[in-house]
């Protein structure tokens, strides 16, 4: 069975010696825009591509304002600060996520709390979230506290895992009821919509990533999404050293951050955005091919987009029968030139976070034992 799968994947990607998991494609205006940057000397944090990239992403996602950052991790850091998270606050998130989510929480000195995910989305479960809050939280004067630790529960950070939207509307409702700020880790989900609305625009703030392996890349980069234009403006101020605009004076009115994306990175981003919709359709077509192929196989199934969603299928997922099968599949494919990866080590199993509170994490553990990512790059042949 593993041989048949390996051959199918190789075939899908044009029978290369090595089939990577996710690599960028540069088929548009990337070189042209980079040359424009160099010729104009505006290669750094000021330049027309920065503004244009923000406008393109705002328009595509429907956010009122988008603000670039150096990468997705510091976009999340900024988002949490803007949501009012402070030292010793608790932030509810997933154990099934990439380390960046928890690192950003930790930069502030806040504590992640790990809530279970849904099997059908791999994202934060609104049911588990409500249950944990019922057992642990109390709201006093519109502030949510943990009854057991006494800490404030300030924010919730669901993640749209591998580009599949989580049950975000229900999460919004729970957060509103408990007076918790919602920050979406939409790092993996540019191009993914829930009920026609782009991921990252449901909460107070959303964070995107444009790392090299993501659906849109700027080399490294990130973006904050806002529905509140004023908050977006404030984010721009904080991410640009909180400098008060003036033609020659250096006055800063806050502790600011140098989280500005250089113009050369934004130039790449503009060129990439021009092709985003094509990339997503291409990836969805690949996912469809996988879905058909795995449909009549026993003991292995292809993960399809959740209800009410249009997923970007950033990284395709198969679910193996158990952990032993997962390990065998990883071994076989990686031995035979097809790159595959298990899901990240769960956050609550890492030394920095093993002391953190968590619920049963039943679905989280179930998925961690079975999920494998399979090659997902845009296929040039069908572009
Ligand atoms: C990629 C990613 C980020 C941000 O990563 P950067 O490499 O800093 O851009 C954050 N969260 C998740 C879940 C990610 O996959």
């Amino acid at each position: 069975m593993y041989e048949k799968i390996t051959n199918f994947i190789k075939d899908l990607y044009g029978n290369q010696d090595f089939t990577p998991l996710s690599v960028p494609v540069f088929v548009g205006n990337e070189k042209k825009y980079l040359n424009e940057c160099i010729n104009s000397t505006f290669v750094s944090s000021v330049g027309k591509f920065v503004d244009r990239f923000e406008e393109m992403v705002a328009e595509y996602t429907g956010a009122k304002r988008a603000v670039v950052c150096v990468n997705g991790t510091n976009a999340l850091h900024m988002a949490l600060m803007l949501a009012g998270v402070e030292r010793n606050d608790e932030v509810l998130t997933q154990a099934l996520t990439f380390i960046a989510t928890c690192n950003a929480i930790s930069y502030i000195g806040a504590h992640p709390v790990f809530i279970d995910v849904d099997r059908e989305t791999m994202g934060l479960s609104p049911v588990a979230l409500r249950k944990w809050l019922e057992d642990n939280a109390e709201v006093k004067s519109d502030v949510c506290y943990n009854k057991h630790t006494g800490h404030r529960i300030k924010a919730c950070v669901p993640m749209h895992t591998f580009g599949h939207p989580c049950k975000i509307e229900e999460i919004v409702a729970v957060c509103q009821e408990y007076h918790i700020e919602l920050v979406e880790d939409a790092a993996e989900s540019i191009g993914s919509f829930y009920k026609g609305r782009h991921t990252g625009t449901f909460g107070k703030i959303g964070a995107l990533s444009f790392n090299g392996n993501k659906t849109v890349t700027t080399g490294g980069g990130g973006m904050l999404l806002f529905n509140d234009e004023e908050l977006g403006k404030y984010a721009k101020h904080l991410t640009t050293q909180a400098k008060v605009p003036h033609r020659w004076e250096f006055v800063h009115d806050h502790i600011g951050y140098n989280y500005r994306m250089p113009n050369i990175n934004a130039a790449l981003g503009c060129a990439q955005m021009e092709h985003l919709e094509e990339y997503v359709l291409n990836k969805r077509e690949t996912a469809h091919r996988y879905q058909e192929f795995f449909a009549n196989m026993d003991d292995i199934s292809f993960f399809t987009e959740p209800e009410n969603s249009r997923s970007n299928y950033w990284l395709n997922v198969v679910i193996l029968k158990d952990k032993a099968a997962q390990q065998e599949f990883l071994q076989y494919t990686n031995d035979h030139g097809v790159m595959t990866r298990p899901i990240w080590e769960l956050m609550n199993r890492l030394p920095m976070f093993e002391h953190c509170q968590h619920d049963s994490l039943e679905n989280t553990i179930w998925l961690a034992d079975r999920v494998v990512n399979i090659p997902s790059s845009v296929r040039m042949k069908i572009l």
Side-chain angles (χ1 to χ4, degrees), residues 70-76 96-101 159-162 185-188 207-214 220-222 314 344:
V70 176
N71 55 53
T73 308
N74 59 38
L76 277 169
L96 192 98
T97 186
F98 176 60
I99 189 74
T101 321
M159 200 273 282
H160 302 288
T161 309
F162 303 132
D185 184 343
E188 304 180 353
L208 305 175
S209 165
F210 308 114
N211 190 33
N213 62 350
K214 300 275 159 69
W314 173 53
W344 314 278

Side-chain angles (χ1 to χ4, degrees), residues 123-314:
L124 195 78
S125 161
V127 173
L129 178 65
R130 179 179 293 282
K131 167 108 190 19
W132 188 86
L133 286 164
E134 278 169 5
D135 293 346
N136 295 282
E138 61 182 347
V139 176
K140 285 189 288 190
S141 317
D142 291 351
V143 180
C144 188
Y145 293 95
N146 185 321
K147 283 188 287 197
H148 308 294
T149 63
H151 292 156
R152 188 169 68 151
I153 302 168
K154 185 61 187 175
C156 174
V157 188
M159 200 273 282
H160 302 288
T161 309
F162 303 132
H164 296 294
C166 63
K167 295 178 185 171
I168 191 66
E169 266 186 357
E170 290 167 61
I171 294 170
V172 169
V174 179
C175 287
Q176 275 173 356
E177 196 179 317
Y178 280 88
H179 299 271
I180 295 171
E181 300 286 11
L182 179 57
V183 170
E184 288 173 79
D185 184 343
E188 304 180 353
S189 62
I190 192 163
S192 299
F193 294 79
Y194 183 81
K195 294 188 182 169
R197 192 165 150 190
H198 199 277
T199 51
T201 65
F202 289 80
K204 191 185 189 89
I205 310 166
L208 305 175
S209 165
F210 308 114
N211 190 33
N213 62 350
K214 300 275 159 69
T215 307
V216 163
T217 187
T218 57
M223 187 84 81
L224 291 157
L225 302 178
F226 300 91
N227 293 318
D228 177 342
E229 219 168 326
E230 283 307 304
L231 191 60
K233 260 172 88 177
Y234 185 54
K236 190 73 194 176
H237 184 59
L238 285 189
T239 53
T240 54
Q241 302 281 33
K243 184 178 181 298
V244 180
H246 191 282
R247 279 167 58 209
W248 57 81
E249 277 173 6
F250 289 98
V251 177
H252 304 260
D253 61 2
H254 199 281
I255 291 180
Y257 297 82
N258 185 7
Y259 280 3
R260 296 173 292 190
M261 174 187 280
N263 202 40
I264 41 174
N265 298 83
L268 269 183
C270 290
Q272 291 265 290
M273 281 304 290
E274 291 168 357
H275 290 274
L276 170 58
E277 200 52 28
E278 250 173 280
Y279 293 166
V280 173
L281 293 178
N282 182 306
K283 286 162 78 71
R284 290 177 61 76
E285 158 71 19
T286 303
H288 188 71
R289 297 276 296 272
Y290 275 135
Q291 189 181 345
E292 282 180 338
F293 173 75
F294 285 106
N296 42 27
M297 278 203 176
D298 298 328
D299 297 334
I300 182 164
S301 61
F302 182 73
F303 188 97
T304 53
E305 66 192 343
E307 263 187 325
N308 299 317
S309 297
R310 189 199 79 154
S311 173
N312 67 2
Y313 281 94
W314 173 53

Side-chain angles (χ1 to χ4, degrees), residues 29-41 49 267:
N29 287 318
E30 284 86 356
K31 286 182 183 165
K32 176 166 175 263
Y33 294 169
L34 284 174
N35 275 329
E36 280 179 36
C37 275
I38 292 163
N39 292 338
S40 73
T41 74
F49 288 112

